[in-house]
Amino acid sequence: MIKKVLLVSVVFLGLLGQGLAQIRSLTLDEMFQLADQNNNRIRLYDLAISEAEQGVKVACNDRLPSIQAHVELNYIGDGVMTDRNFAHAVHADMPHLGNSFVLKASQVIYAGGAVAKGIERSKLQKKEAELEYVETRQDIRFLLAGYYLDLFQLNNQKRVYESNISQTRLLVKDMKASYRQGTALKSDITRYELQLQSLELSLTSVKDKIDVLSHKLAIAVGLEPD
């Protein structure tokens, strides 16, 4: 079982006044919390739960009475009558202002179970969103734990390669000295130089893998990859 004491170090390479890098150590629990807050997949399903909860509330509102109000205000000008030649106009006073107010209340008495089924469907959608959230959250945590263990293993390999490279460089140096003294062959030097190149290539590959995993880990927990 992975314990809380496992740590992963995240280095922020920024200028912090004195130009020093800031090192932050995170426990797995802290990484999980950051993922819960910042991971895009988890946040997406969290939003889906919120939308489903609103859907349940809207469906339940169908059981409640609904009230509609309509207000109307109008203005009518005075009337004017003329003959066919638009002469001899006659002015007629008329009321200018008018208004109306309509209040309508309604409630569903019987809908053949449509309201109850709508509520049940909304609750099922909410339950589905919650299950998807839990599953996604668990997948992300397994992914983070896997990244951590891979980084732990790769860093161990990195230290081993660096140690072997240091030793091999000393051997190459000794072989060259022995060759000058006539106690070693040129092929011996070549063999150790090839071994040194192979170790350096392997070290480069391990460092590249560490960079890739570190980038993926930073994105998963919502930190800046740089």
Side-chain angles (χ1 to χ4, degrees), residues 73-142:
L73 180 67
N74 52 63
Y75 176 85
I76 301 176
D78 291 337
V80 178
M81 294 181 294
T82 66
D83 57 18
R84 294 181 177 180
N85 296 324
F86 298 101
H88 305 96
V90 178
H91 182 79
D93 292 333
M94 298 180 65
H96 295 301
L97 294 176
N99 61 77
S100 64
F101 176 75
V102 178
L103 182 65
K104 180 181 178 181
S106 62
Q107 183 175 9
V108 177
I109 303 300
Y110 177 74
V115 175
K117 290 181 180 178
I119 295 174
E120 182 180 358
R121 181 172 59 253
S122 298
K123 288 182 177 180
L124 289 175
Q125 290 174 346
K126 177 176 177 290
K127 184 65 175 179
E128 181 181 4
E130 290 173 343
L131 291 175
E132 290 177 343
Y133 171 83
V134 172
E135 182 179 358
T136 301
R137 185 167 173 261
Q138 192 66 28
D139 288 343
I140 295 297
R141 292 192 171 196
F142 279 126

